[in-house]
Amino acid sequence: MLDTARLTDEQRLDWLCLIRSDHVGPRTFRVLINHCGGARAALAALPDLARRGGARRPARIHSRQEAEREIAAAKRFGVTLLALSEPDYPHRLRMIDDAPPLLAVRGNMAALAPPTVAIVGARNASAAGMRFAERLARQLGGEGFAVVSGLARGIDAAAHRASLATGTVAVLAGGHDHIYPREHIELADAILAQGALVSEMPFGHEPRARDFPRRNRLISGLCAGVVVVEAAKRSGSLITARFALEQGREVFAVPGSPLDPRAEGANDLIKQGATLVTDAADVLAVLRPILGAAVELRAEEPEPPASGAEPGAGERARIVALLGPTPMPVDDLVRLSGSSPAVVRVVLLELELAGRLERHGGALVSLV
Amino acid sequence: MLDTARLTDEQRLDWLCLIRSDHVGPRTFRVLINHCGGARAALAALPDLARRGGARRPARIHSRQEAEREIAAAKRFGVTLLALSEPDYPHRLRMIDDAPPLLAVRGNMAALAPPTVAIVGARNASAAGMRFAERLARQLGGEGFAVVSGLARGIDAAAHRASLATGTVAVLAGGHDHIYPREHIELADAILAQGALVSEMPFGHEPRARDFPRRNRLISGLCAGVVVVEAAKRSGSLITARFALEQGREVFAVPGSPLDPRAEGANDLIKQGATLVTDAADVLAVLRPILGAAVELRAEEPEPPASGAEPGAGERARIVALLGPTPMPVDDLVRLSGSSPAVVRVVLLELELAGRLERHGGALVSLV
């Protein structure tokens, strides 16, 4: 779908304009490129698609000037915008169905190459939990793994600190100029020597609460496996573990006392089949055989190009009428509407660009 | 093999004399009964069998007077000697291949009836471990389970205490008049109200170190499952878990921090496939379906009666020559000796009664 080739500066600007435009997320980006044949053509087609999707006001297209300013500012900060199609783009991350078209990377790009493993856990971690995270990160670092985490307080910071010398990757929820929490600015700087900071968010973006769960899919997506060290029920680390499962990545969990609420999430993961970890050897035993193997895409199948399909007004109305606030499979929509898959995909794209459609994992869609 | 019927007083004396005689363990007891047709006949045959097995001195037969004294003393203490063939004998325990022919029971016999579950763990348990053992015992007791344990300090005592009201069973390593540790004499008395104390050892027997692992097979043997709460590596609780596996019983383990040495054994059990327990519901989910089902014997097959087989002197010497200090399968012995299985079994019985043979699990034998 997307060639593995370096983008020209012009193409990179097109990509940036497209992904920064209203209602264009990573999945829509792919659909648009497929539908229109390229980023520039997609940018040209976007206003019309959104209008046909019923947009209440004209779709906001990210301007070339804004994109140029972002690239220049990022460059001054030492940030490279890596495109999904380029050879340096982390190859495991490329396989997830909502991989960022452009990944902003600062530091040592080599840290993004496999083998990589995530170590994540509670912010209000126990001393024992942090000591264990450090030990594990040091051991896995010593075995040649880059340790990926989220730069949060507690387990994340412990994992980063213990793998500074061997290479660690922090995935940010905001732009590169908005390190969160502020107290970890020094840690972030220390990571840059051997490791890297990465973000899919625009330079200048201040992270909001909803950016963190979304960011977590990149932590798991970058790695062959995710180790959850301490995690309460309904914690962010469990979101990362769920993403890991959806992405076909290995999930590991460190057990704890049933009386410690910080162990509840990890113990539950083990009950559900995660590998129990008391030692780096437990992680290595599972990941070593995987690292040699080809990366497999477990998410939905890539859609065939849909260019040429042109829904009539009646067809569009019929498809919209079938949709509601409850997520439903695109396959059902095709079956129930009687339209061709290509036509359904175009209608969904239009609705999405009009801000009226939400895409969920597993090829589910709902009206906003 | 052994009828499920009440013994007469005379028969009970015969059984007691036989099991208390030199070199007669639970397995040999069964072989002898099979070979000779009954306990009285076995007692009569024993000296001759031992002599032919090469006993250096005449086999010591437990005297009728000693047996009568033990039964009388036990009776005064409120202890009943329950025979393997009798209907009150715990039916799961009856299925293990080294079930005690006579089980000395004090207290409420009904506590031995299913459902039963063992909760065992470290003597030097943590406060959290004991609190969890209490919670689990209370919950499982509330669900109608009798809680079986070993009356040791730490986890065992916590499990017993929390299930005093619902019924708990302590399996002793010594005779009923030798409660160990001494500080748990009061706890043992408290158990008698709703629960029971059981032992396979003679009245008057003071427990030695080697009696404890042997006792552990009865803890697992009485139960549908064993929960290990805190256990270091190479601890007695892991011996109980191993027995449970050999006996086809469920093994449960309570996780703990990898940095806590008391959690090592339990975490290892989970890695090996034990069910992770953070709540009584985890135990109930596995045991409830099992309790309805028939008990299955996973140990070796009962041997067919061998009466009548009479090894010649040359045959006996050939079989002995094949044996050594390394345990070997009885099947191999049959194959390599060219003798019939019945003849091999008689020779092994003779050697055993002469104190020259040791039987291991899985139908393995070795010379002492």
Side-chain angles (χ1 to χ4, degrees):
Chain A
M1 170 184 68
L2 302 161
D3 332 332
T4 304
R6 292 218 172 273
L7 299 193
T8 62
D9 287 351
E10 278 303 298
Q11 283 173 319
R12 201 176 312 271
L13 274 171
D14 290 339
W15 278 45
L16 192 57
C17 287
L18 188 57
I19 188 63
R20 297 282 186 254
S21 291
D22 272 7
H23 308 308
V24 180
R27 285 195 186 88
T28 325
F29 184 96
R30 287 201 191 200
V31 176
L32 272 168
I33 295 269
N34 280 341
H35 183 64
C36 305
R40 175 148 305 184
L43 285 166
L46 207 150
D48 221 35
L49 288 165
R51 191 185 43 71
R52 275 182 284 172
R56 274 174 291 268
R57 50 200 167 92
R60 198 195 57 83
I61 305 282
H62 197 71
S63 78
R64 221 160 171 73
Q65 290 69 31
E66 288 173 283
E68 277 168 352
R69 270 201 301 274
E70 182 179 346
I71 288 180
K75 205 172 201 171
R76 278 194 302 275
F77 217 74
V79 172
T80 304
L81 280 176
L82 211 49
L84 187 60
S85 64
E86 294 182 311
D88 285 344
Y89 195 95
H91 80 279
R92 277 183 201 279
L93 185 62
R94 185 186 287 139
M95 294 303 148
I96 73 172
D97 67 349
D98 52 357
L102 289 166
L103 193 66
V105 183
R106 188 173 166 222
N108 176 15
M109 205 82 85
L112 296 174
T116 41
V117 64
I119 300 178
V120 299
R123 286 190 298 276
N124 66 337
S126 71
M130 287 198 278
R131 208 159 74 240
F132 185 80
E134 278 168 16
R135 193 172 86 182
L136 191 66
R138 196 162 44 242
Q139 289 173 333
L140 291 172
E143 296 288 335
F145 280 77
V147 172
V148 179
S149 197
L151 202 67
R153 298 183 185 100
I155 299 297
D156 287 21
H160 286 306
R161 285 207 176 91
S163 53
L164 284 174
T166 49
T168 183
V169 177
V171 185
L172 310 175
H176 276 279
D177 52 344
H178 282 278
I179 299 295
Y180 182 88
R182 308 286 294 161
E183 71 204 66
H184 283 171
I185 289 179
E186 264 183 64
L187 175 58
D189 283 340
I191 286 173
L192 295 174
Q194 298 295 327
L197 306 179
V198 308
S199 169
E200 67 173 323
M201 301 310 271
F203 202 78
H205 178 82
E206 182 147 12
R208 301 146 301 179
R210 68 166 178 274
D211 295 327
F212 290 89
R214 176 191 157 116
R215 179 275 315 262
N216 289 359
R217 84 188 197 286
L218 304 184
I219 293 179
S220 54
L222 281 164
C223 298
V226 173
V227 185
V228 177
V229 178
E230 278 187 336
K233 290 210 160 177
R234 282 174 292 281
S235 62
S237 306
L238 297 188
I239 296 176
T240 310
R242 207 193 58 224
F243 279 127
L245 285 177
E246 286 175 11
Q247 296 163 353
R249 310 302 158 89
E250 296 298 324
V251 178
F252 303 86
V254 179
S257 162
L259 298 179
D260 183 352
R262 279 173 298 217
E264 265 187 88
N267 285 341
D268 274 354
L269 286 175
I270 298 168
K271 284 187 193 172
Q272 289 158 36
T275 301
L276 186 150
V277 174
T278 59
D279 191 273
D282 300 320
V283 178
L284 295 172
V286 173
L287 291 191
R288 279 265 161 77
I290 292 171
L291 292 170
V295 179
E296 202 190 324
L297 176 62
R298 300 264 190 102
E300 55 246 57
E301 294 288 301
E303 292 165 359
S307 44
E310 201 56 69
E315 230 173 348
R316 184 177 291 118
R318 199 162 59 245
I319 292 167
V320 172
L322 287 167
L323 283 162
T326 308
M328 73 178 291
V330 173
D331 283 354
D332 285 6
L333 210 54
V334 170
R335 194 167 45 76
L336 295 170
S337 68
S339 296
S340 73
V343 162
V344 170
R345 273 200 301 276
V346 172
V347 172
L348 293 178
L349 178 60
E350 292 168 355
L351 289 169
E352 201 171 3
L353 293 171
R356 294 176 61 197
L357 188 95
E358 191 174 357
R359 285 187 194 269
H360 311 266
L364 298 175
V365 291
S366 66
L367 283 189
V368 175
Chain B
M1 169 185 70
L2 302 162
D3 331 331
T4 305
R6 292 219 172 271
L7 299 194
T8 63
D9 287 352
E10 278 303 299
Q11 283 173 319
R12 201 176 312 271
L13 274 171
D14 290 340
W15 277 46
L16 192 57
C17 286
L18 188 56
I19 189 62
R20 298 281 188 253
S21 291
D22 272 6
H23 309 308
V24 180
R27 284 196 188 86
T28 325
F29 184 96
R30 288 201 190 198
V31 176
L32 271 169
I33 295 271
N34 279 342
H35 183 62
C36 305
R40 176 149 303 185
L43 285 166
L46 206 151
D48 219 34
L49 287 164
R51 192 184 44 71
R52 275 183 285 174
R56 274 175 291 269
R57 50 198 169 93
R60 197 194 59 81
I61 306 282
H62 197 70
S63 78
R64 227 165 163 72
Q65 289 71 30
E66 288 174 285
E68 277 167 352
R69 269 201 302 273
E70 182 178 346
I71 287 180
K75 207 172 202 170
R76 278 195 302 274
F77 218 73
V79 172
T80 303
L81 281 176
L82 211 50
L84 186 60
S85 64
E86 294 182 312
D88 284 345
Y89 194 95
H91 80 278
R92 277 182 201 279
L93 185 61
R94 186 186 287 141
M95 295 301 150
I96 72 172
D97 67 350
D98 51 357
L102 289 166
L103 192 67
V105 183
R106 190 173 164 221
N108 175 16
M109 206 81 86
L112 297 173
T116 40
V117 63
I119 300 179
V120 299
R123 287 190 299 276
N124 66 335
S126 71
M130 289 197 278
R131 207 159 74 241
F132 185 80
E134 278 167 17
R135 192 172 85 182
L136 192 66
R138 195 163 42 244
Q139 288 173 333
L140 291 172
E143 295 289 336
F145 279 77
V147 172
V148 179
S149 197
L151 202 67
R153 298 184 184 97
I155 298 298
D156 287 19
H160 287 305
R161 284 206 178 91
S163 53
L164 284 175
T166 48
T168 182
V169 177
V171 185
L172 311 175
H176 276 279
D177 51 344
H178 282 279
I179 299 295
Y180 181 88
R182 309 285 295 162
E183 73 204 63
H184 284 171
I185 288 179
E186 264 182 65
L187 175 58
D189 283 339
I191 286 173
L192 294 174
Q194 298 296 326
L197 306 178
V198 308
S199 169
E200 66 174 324
M201 301 310 270
F203 202 78
H205 179 83
E206 181 147 13
R208 301 147 303 179
R210 67 165 178 274
D211 295 327
F212 290 89
R214 178 190 155 118
R215 179 274 316 262
N216 289 359
R217 83 187 197 288
L218 304 184
I219 294 179
S220 54
L222 280 165
C223 299
V226 173
V227 185
V228 177
V229 178
E230 279 188 334
K233 289 209 161 179
R234 282 174 294 281
S235 63
S237 307
L238 297 188
I239 296 175
T240 310
R242 209 194 58 225
F243 279 127
L245 284 178
E246 286 175 13
Q247 295 163 355
R249 310 302 158 91
E250 296 298 323
V251 178
F252 302 87
V254 179
S257 162
L259 297 179
D260 183 353
R262 280 174 297 221
E264 265 187 89
N267 285 341
D268 274 354
L269 286 175
I270 298 167
K271 284 186 194 175
Q272 289 158 38
T275 301
L276 187 150
V277 175
T278 59
D279 192 274
D282 299 319
V283 177
L284 295 171
V286 173
L287 291 191
R288 278 266 161 76
I290 291 172
L291 292 171
V295 178
E296 201 189 324
L297 176 63
R298 299 264 189 103
E300 56 246 53
E301 294 288 302
E303 293 165 356
S307 45
E310 202 54 71
E315 233 175 344
R316 185 177 291 118
R318 200 163 56 245
I319 292 167
V320 172
L322 287 168
L323 283 163
T326 308
M328 73 179 292
V330 173
D331 283 353
D332 284 7
L333 211 54
V334 170
R335 194 167 44 76
L336 295 170
S337 68
S339 296
S340 74
V343 163
V344 169
R345 273 200 301 275
V346 172
V347 172
L348 294 178
L349 178 59
E350 293 168 354
L351 290 169
E352 200 171 5
L353 293 172
R356 294 175 61 197
L357 188 96
E358 192 175 359
R359 285 187 194 269
H360 311 267
L364 298 175
V365 291
S366 65
L367 283 189
V368 176

PDB file of all heavy atoms in Angstrom, chain A residues 218-235:
ATOM      1  N   LEU A 218       1.192   2.985  21.190  1.00  0.00           N
ATOM      2  CA  LEU A 218       2.514   3.085  20.561  1.00  0.00           C
ATOM      3  C   LEU A 218       3.561   2.366  21.408  1.00  0.00           C
ATOM      4  O   LEU A 218       4.499   1.780  20.877  1.00  0.00           O
ATOM      5  CB  LEU A 218       2.915   4.554  20.371  1.00  0.00           C
ATOM      6  CG  LEU A 218       1.926   5.410  19.566  1.00  0.00           C
ATOM      7  CD1 LEU A 218       2.504   6.818  19.371  1.00  0.00           C
ATOM      8  CD2 LEU A 218       1.649   4.760  18.215  1.00  0.00           C
ATOM      9  N   ILE A 219       3.397   2.401  22.737  1.00  0.00           N
ATOM     10  CA  ILE A 219       4.330   1.689  23.618  1.00  0.00           C
ATOM     11  C   ILE A 219       4.301   0.204  23.281  1.00  0.00           C
ATOM     12  O   ILE A 219       5.330  -0.421  23.048  1.00  0.00           O
ATOM     13  CB  ILE A 219       3.956   1.933  25.103  1.00  0.00           C
ATOM     14  CG1 ILE A 219       4.178   3.410  25.467  1.00  0.00           C
ATOM     15  CG2 ILE A 219       4.768   1.021  26.015  1.00  0.00           C
ATOM     16  CD1 ILE A 219       3.815   3.755  26.901  1.00  0.00           C
ATOM     17  N   SER A 220       3.090  -0.366  23.230  1.00  0.00           N
ATOM     18  CA  SER A 220       3.001  -1.792  22.901  1.00  0.00           C
ATOM     19  C   SER A 220       3.362  -2.032  21.438  1.00  0.00           C
ATOM     20  O   SER A 220       4.035  -3.003  21.105  1.00  0.00           O
ATOM     21  CB  SER A 220       1.602  -2.317  23.197  1.00  0.00           C
ATOM     22  OG  SER A 220       0.629  -1.526  22.526  1.00  0.00           O
ATOM     23  N   GLY A 221       2.954  -1.113  20.583  1.00  0.00           N
ATOM     24  CA  GLY A 221       3.188  -1.292  19.154  1.00  0.00           C
ATOM     25  C   GLY A 221       4.657  -1.329  18.775  1.00  0.00           C
ATOM     26  O   GLY A 221       5.045  -1.992  17.818  1.00  0.00           O
ATOM     27  N   LEU A 222       5.483  -0.625  19.538  1.00  0.00           N
ATOM     28  CA  LEU A 222       6.918  -0.593  19.258  1.00  0.00           C
ATOM     29  C   LEU A 222       7.603  -1.894  19.645  1.00  0.00           C
ATOM     30  O   LEU A 222       8.736  -2.145  19.240  1.00  0.00           O
ATOM     31  CB  LEU A 222       7.579   0.558  20.031  1.00  0.00           C
ATOM     32  CG  LEU A 222       7.440   1.971  19.447  1.00  0.00           C
ATOM     33  CD1 LEU A 222       7.800   3.011  20.501  1.00  0.00           C
ATOM     34  CD2 LEU A 222       8.338   2.129  18.220  1.00  0.00           C
ATOM     35  N   CYS A 223       6.934  -2.730  20.480  1.00  0.00           N
ATOM     36  CA  CYS A 223       7.633  -3.828  21.159  1.00  0.00           C
ATOM     37  C   CYS A 223       7.135  -5.208  20.768  1.00  0.00           C
ATOM     38  O   CYS A 223       6.002  -5.376  20.315  1.00  0.00           O
ATOM     39  CB  CYS A 223       7.460  -3.670  22.666  1.00  0.00           C
ATOM     40  SG  CYS A 223       8.184  -2.134  23.255  1.00  0.00           S
ATOM     41  N   ALA A 224       7.991  -6.174  21.013  1.00  0.00           N
ATOM     42  CA  ALA A 224       7.588  -7.571  20.838  1.00  0.00           C
ATOM     43  C   ALA A 224       6.754  -8.028  22.038  1.00  0.00           C
ATOM     44  O   ALA A 224       5.956  -8.948  21.930  1.00  0.00           O
ATOM     45  CB  ALA A 224       8.821  -8.450  20.699  1.00  0.00           C
ATOM     46  N   GLY A 225       6.961  -7.377  23.187  1.00  0.00           N
ATOM     47  CA  GLY A 225       6.220  -7.758  24.383  1.00  0.00           C
ATOM     48  C   GLY A 225       6.149  -6.625  25.383  1.00  0.00           C
ATOM     49  O   GLY A 225       6.957  -5.697  25.350  1.00  0.00           O
ATOM     50  N   VAL A 226       5.149  -6.684  26.255  1.00  0.00           N
ATOM     51  CA  VAL A 226       4.943  -5.671  27.287  1.00  0.00           C
ATOM     52  C   VAL A 226       4.960  -6.345  28.657  1.00  0.00           C
ATOM     53  O   VAL A 226       4.226  -7.314  28.880  1.00  0.00           O
ATOM     54  CB  VAL A 226       3.581  -4.964  27.104  1.00  0.00           C
ATOM     55  CG1 VAL A 226       3.297  -4.022  28.278  1.00  0.00           C
ATOM     56  CG2 VAL A 226       3.541  -4.212  25.780  1.00  0.00           C
ATOM     57  N   VAL A 227       5.797  -5.839  29.564  1.00  0.00           N
ATOM     58  CA  VAL A 227       5.833  -6.346  30.929  1.00  0.00           C
ATOM     59  C   VAL A 227       5.119  -5.353  31.844  1.00  0.00           C
ATOM     60  O   VAL A 227       5.510  -4.187  31.907  1.00  0.00           O
ATOM     61  CB  VAL A 227       7.283  -6.530  31.434  1.00  0.00           C
ATOM     62  CG1 VAL A 227       7.280  -7.187  32.812  1.00  0.00           C
ATOM     63  CG2 VAL A 227       8.107  -7.343  30.447  1.00  0.00           C
ATOM     64  N   VAL A 228       4.070  -5.812  32.531  1.00  0.00           N
ATOM     65  CA  VAL A 228       3.345  -4.960  33.468  1.00  0.00           C
ATOM     66  C   VAL A 228       3.847  -5.270  34.875  1.00  0.00           C
ATOM     67  O   VAL A 228       3.741  -6.402  35.341  1.00  0.00           O
ATOM     68  CB  VAL A 228       1.825  -5.218  33.378  1.00  0.00           C
ATOM     69  CG1 VAL A 228       1.077  -4.382  34.408  1.00  0.00           C
ATOM     70  CG2 VAL A 228       1.327  -4.911  31.970  1.00  0.00           C
ATOM     71  N   VAL A 229       4.432  -4.272  35.531  1.00  0.00           N
ATOM     72  CA  VAL A 229       5.069  -4.535  36.818  1.00  0.00           C
ATOM     73  C   VAL A 229       4.120  -4.356  37.996  1.00  0.00           C
ATOM     74  O   VAL A 229       3.951  -5.254  38.805  1.00  0.00           O
ATOM     75  CB  VAL A 229       6.336  -3.692  37.004  1.00  0.00           C
ATOM     76  CG1 VAL A 229       6.955  -3.952  38.366  1.00  0.00           C
ATOM     77  CG2 VAL A 229       7.353  -4.047  35.928  1.00  0.00           C
ATOM     78  N   GLU A 230       3.500  -3.231  38.128  1.00  0.00           N
ATOM     79  CA  GLU A 230       2.489  -3.060  39.171  1.00  0.00           C
ATOM     80  C   GLU A 230       1.351  -2.315  38.508  1.00  0.00           C
ATOM     81  O   GLU A 230       1.575  -1.318  37.826  1.00  0.00           O
ATOM     82  CB  GLU A 230       3.025  -2.249  40.361  1.00  0.00           C
ATOM     83  CG  GLU A 230       3.829  -3.082  41.341  1.00  0.00           C
ATOM     84  CD  GLU A 230       4.215  -2.305  42.601  1.00  0.00           C
ATOM     85  OE1 GLU A 230       4.278  -1.066  42.569  1.00  0.00           O
ATOM     86  OE2 GLU A 230       4.486  -2.964  43.635  1.00  0.00           O
ATOM     87  N   ALA A 231       0.151  -2.800  38.680  1.00  0.00           N
ATOM     88  CA  ALA A 231      -0.965  -2.147  38.010  1.00  0.00           C
ATOM     89  C   ALA A 231      -2.243  -2.418  38.778  1.00  0.00           C
ATOM     90  O   ALA A 231      -2.606  -3.565  39.008  1.00  0.00           O
ATOM     91  CB  ALA A 231      -1.100  -2.667  36.586  1.00  0.00           C
ATOM     92  N   ALA A 232      -2.890  -1.351  39.179  1.00  0.00           N
ATOM     93  CA  ALA A 232      -4.192  -1.505  39.835  1.00  0.00           C
ATOM     94  C   ALA A 232      -5.228  -1.832  38.771  1.00  0.00           C
ATOM     95  O   ALA A 232      -4.949  -1.774  37.580  1.00  0.00           O
ATOM     96  CB  ALA A 232      -4.556  -0.219  40.561  1.00  0.00           C
ATOM     97  N   LYS A 233      -6.425  -2.181  39.214  1.00  0.00           N
ATOM     98  CA  LYS A 233      -7.502  -2.407  38.261  1.00  0.00           C
ATOM     99  C   LYS A 233      -7.783  -1.094  37.519  1.00  0.00           C
ATOM    100  O   LYS A 233      -7.655  -0.022  38.088  1.00  0.00           O
ATOM    101  CB  LYS A 233      -8.770  -2.855  39.000  1.00  0.00           C
ATOM    102  CG  LYS A 233      -8.623  -4.260  39.557  1.00  0.00           C
ATOM    103  CD  LYS A 233      -9.947  -4.988  39.625  1.00  0.00           C
ATOM    104  CE  LYS A 233      -9.673  -6.473  39.695  1.00  0.00           C
ATOM    105  NZ  LYS A 233     -10.859  -7.290  39.830  1.00  0.00           N
ATOM    106  N   ARG A 234      -8.192  -1.210  36.261  1.00  0.00           N
ATOM    107  CA  ARG A 234      -8.551  -0.052  35.435  1.00  0.00           C
ATOM    108  C   ARG A 234      -7.432   0.989  35.332  1.00  0.00           C
ATOM    109  O   ARG A 234      -7.681   2.177  35.258  1.00  0.00           O
ATOM    110  CB  ARG A 234      -9.826   0.629  35.973  1.00  0.00           C
ATOM    111  CG  ARG A 234     -11.091  -0.117  35.600  1.00  0.00           C
ATOM    112  CD  ARG A 234     -12.298   0.491  36.273  1.00  0.00           C
ATOM    113  NE  ARG A 234     -12.273   0.305  37.711  1.00  0.00           N
ATOM    114  CZ  ARG A 234     -12.605  -0.820  38.325  1.00  0.00           C
ATOM    115  NH1 ARG A 234     -13.001  -1.853  37.645  1.00  0.00           N
ATOM    116  NH2 ARG A 234     -12.538  -0.934  39.636  1.00  0.00           N
ATOM    117  N   SER A 235      -6.182   0.538  35.333  1.00  0.00           N
ATOM    118  CA  SER A 235      -5.068   1.481  35.223  1.00  0.00           C
ATOM    119  C   SER A 235      -4.583   1.555  33.778  1.00  0.00           C
ATOM    120  O   SER A 235      -4.921   0.714  32.948  1.00  0.00           O
ATOM    121  CB  SER A 235      -3.924   1.044  36.131  1.00  0.00           C
ATOM    122  OG  SER A 235      -3.451  -0.220  35.736  1.00  0.00           O
TER     123      SER A 235
END
